Amino acid sequence: MAHLFEKTSFGSIQLANRIVMAPLTRMRSSQPGNVPNELMANYYAQRATAGLIISEASQVSQQGQGYPGTPGIHSPEQTEGWKLVTDAVHKAGGTIVLQLWHVGRISHRSHQPGGALPVAPSAIKPEGGTFSADWQPVAFETPRALELSEIPGLIEDFRRAASNAKDAGFDGVEVHGANGYLLDQFLQDGSNQRTDQYGGTIENRARLLLEVVDAVVGVWGSDRVGVRLSPYGTFNDMRDSDPVKLFTYVLGRLSQRGVAYAHLIEPRSSGAGGGDSVVENVPDTAELFRSAFNGALLSAGGYTADTAKHVVAAGLADAVAFGRFFISNPNLPRKIQEEAPFAPYDRSTFYGGGEKGYTDYPC
Ligand code: 8OZ
């Protein structure tokens, strides 16, 4: 029976324990240029006792940005900035992978090159909104459907970003295929109504994600690449007509490629970023998809110390990711080991700002 404090590995990535820090958008990169900084390095280093840290989602291009203050991994300055983070985490004994992100339609003209419309598989407007480059709440607009001729450039953006992440000293990368961002928009038929080879059948809708994974694997090797997915998630106005068939196919293809891990977000915490409510009567995706993937499975979404112990002991996941509680408990593994209560988090300081609510939680 596996234990949270037993070491494990995701491909060639070694984890000292099975408590993983989930990717968390915190919107504190330096402006202009969305550059990672010393404050971020300190924040991540404080959390180095995690078995693995997954960095906050980091845009692979300017077009891939959808919120103010999120770090990029496309410019030389950003790559240099990330070196501060990887050095600090490694000095503190931790392991960190970078999450590669393109938001697709979850953006606003103010973030886009030349003030253009955000891009997506199809011109379908999601419900809801984001924050503009000057931090004003703005509604989503109808995105521009990507031309077929633009797809190779998108894949190249991910490849180049993966290469930058390697130069920046990360231990691997995670492809963000979840939560209604670009790659998920291609996967699910509520947002993809294309009629070319990137739309229609499941094989076609999964094509972009798999081509991106192949490009990134070409840089890192499959043993240092993970993929995050959110079957049944509804954040960012997502829906699919047959999630079991879609995600079983995707996980099967990822198995064939031998990627280091699959990272599944439980739909009970589908309100990612929006609040703390728990969605009732939704499938348990670690259980539903465990047999569809032959590598390490990382499960995320509203875990407590007890439910995390249980899911690993039951063999339904190899490791568990905690998000919100890693914000307020930098040394979360020790708290779990000592069965100490978790410190509460302050949602009002999640996004943007400085040290407050970021590096000032007691370690
Ligand atoms: C919350 C706020 C903004 C972005 C995700 C990158 O859900 C995010 C995100 C979450 O994956």
Side-chain angles (χ1 to χ4, degrees):
M1 213 167 72
H3 189 273
L4 281 179
F5 291 94
E6 211 174 296
K7 63 185 184 344
T8 190
S9 56
F10 290 174
S12 297
I13 305 167
Q14 307 295 324
L15 284 74
N17 62 58
R18 289 136 185 271
I19 300 163
V20 172
M21 180 177 165
L24 293 161
T25 288
R26 306 301 308 272
M27 306 184 195
R28 282 165 166 89
S29 63
S30 298
Q31 301 304 314
N34 304 298
V35 180
N37 51 41
E38 287 285 0
L39 178 66
M40 289 168 60
N42 183 23
Y43 159 78
Y44 282 109
Q46 286 176 342
R47 289 157 181 80
T49 58
L52 174 67
I53 295 172
I54 302 167
S55 84
E56 63 206 280
S58 307
Q59 57 268 7
V60 299
S61 62
Q62 187 55 53
Q63 187 192 63
Q65 182 170 359
Y67 307 84
T70 59
I73 183 67
H74 51 93
S75 77
E77 294 75 19
Q78 292 161 353
T79 305
E80 285 303 306
W82 278 119
K83 285 182 187 166
L84 301 173
V85 175
T86 60
D87 281 350
V89 169
H90 290 151
K91 280 203 185 92
T95 302
I96 181 167
V97 298
L98 177 110
Q99 197 192 48
L100 298 166
W101 191 34
H102 190 306
V103 298
R105 67 183 185 172
I106 304 302
S107 186
H108 179 258
R109 289 168 190 265
S110 61
H111 300 296
Q112 294 295 306
L117 274 178
V119 299
S122 303
I124 301 170
K125 182 172 90 76
E127 287 299 317
T130 181
F131 287 89
S132 65
D134 56 0
W135 295 87
Q136 299 306 309
V138 282
F140 294 127
E141 293 179 271
T142 303
R144 177 177 71 78
L146 284 154
E147 301 287 340
L148 187 57
S149 60
E150 293 175 275
I151 304 277
L154 273 174
I155 297 166
E156 174 57 17
D157 287 342
F158 276 91
R159 192 204 59 76
R160 194 182 309 112
S163 172
N164 289 343
K166 202 167 193 187
D167 291 345
F170 283 95
D171 298 295
V173 288
E174 175 175 290
V175 173
H176 195 341
N179 290 347
Y181 298 106
L182 183 75
L183 299 174
D184 199 20
Q185 290 159 31
F186 270 84
L187 287 178
Q188 302 203 41
D189 58 17
S191 45
N192 183 347
Q193 294 179 4
R194 298 179 73 90
T195 54
D196 60 13
Q197 65 261 42
Y198 291 91
T201 63
I202 283 174
E203 290 78 359
N204 282 355
R205 285 185 271 127
R207 193 177 308 282
L208 181 61
L209 172 74
L210 295 173
E211 288 179 350
V212 163
V213 168
D214 288 341
V216 169
V217 163
V219 174
W220 278 95
S222 59
D223 56 330
R224 289 190 181 269
V225 174
V227 179
R228 194 173 213 214
L229 300 168
S230 52
Y232 293 96
T234 56
F235 182 49
N236 285 327
D237 203 19
M238 293 305 288
R239 64 188 66 86
D240 187 76
S241 58
D242 195 344
V244 169
K245 206 165 157 208
L246 171 64
F247 289 99
T248 300
Y249 172 80
V250 172
L251 288 163
R253 291 294 154 141
L254 294 175
S255 298
Q256 286 175 354
R257 284 160 172 81
V259 301
Y261 68 95
H263 185 179
L264 299 183
I265 306 169
E266 290 298 336
R268 61 176 171 252
S269 64
S270 184
D276 297 307
S277 59
V278 174
V279 187
E280 309 274 354
N281 298 320
V282 284
D284 181 321
T285 57
E287 194 166 345
L288 189 57
F289 295 108
R290 177 58 153 162
S291 62
F293 184 67
N294 65 8
L297 187 81
L298 171 60
S299 181
Y303 279 99
T304 63
D306 281 345
T307 58
K309 278 175 204 157
H310 174 79
V311 78
V312 168
L316 293 173
D318 295 287
V320 173
F322 286 87
R324 291 162 284 183
F325 283 122
F326 250 116
I327 290 178
S328 51
N329 299 269
N331 201 337
L332 189 65
R334 194 183 64 212
K335 290 253 170 100
I336 293 174
Q337 195 152 34
E338 293 174 354
E339 296 184 10
F342 294 175
Y345 47 80
D346 172 11
R347 181 170 281 280
S348 73
T349 52
F350 277 6
Y351 307 118
E355 291 176 18
K356 188 171 176 321
Y358 192 54
T359 50
D360 63 352
Y361 284 105
C363 298

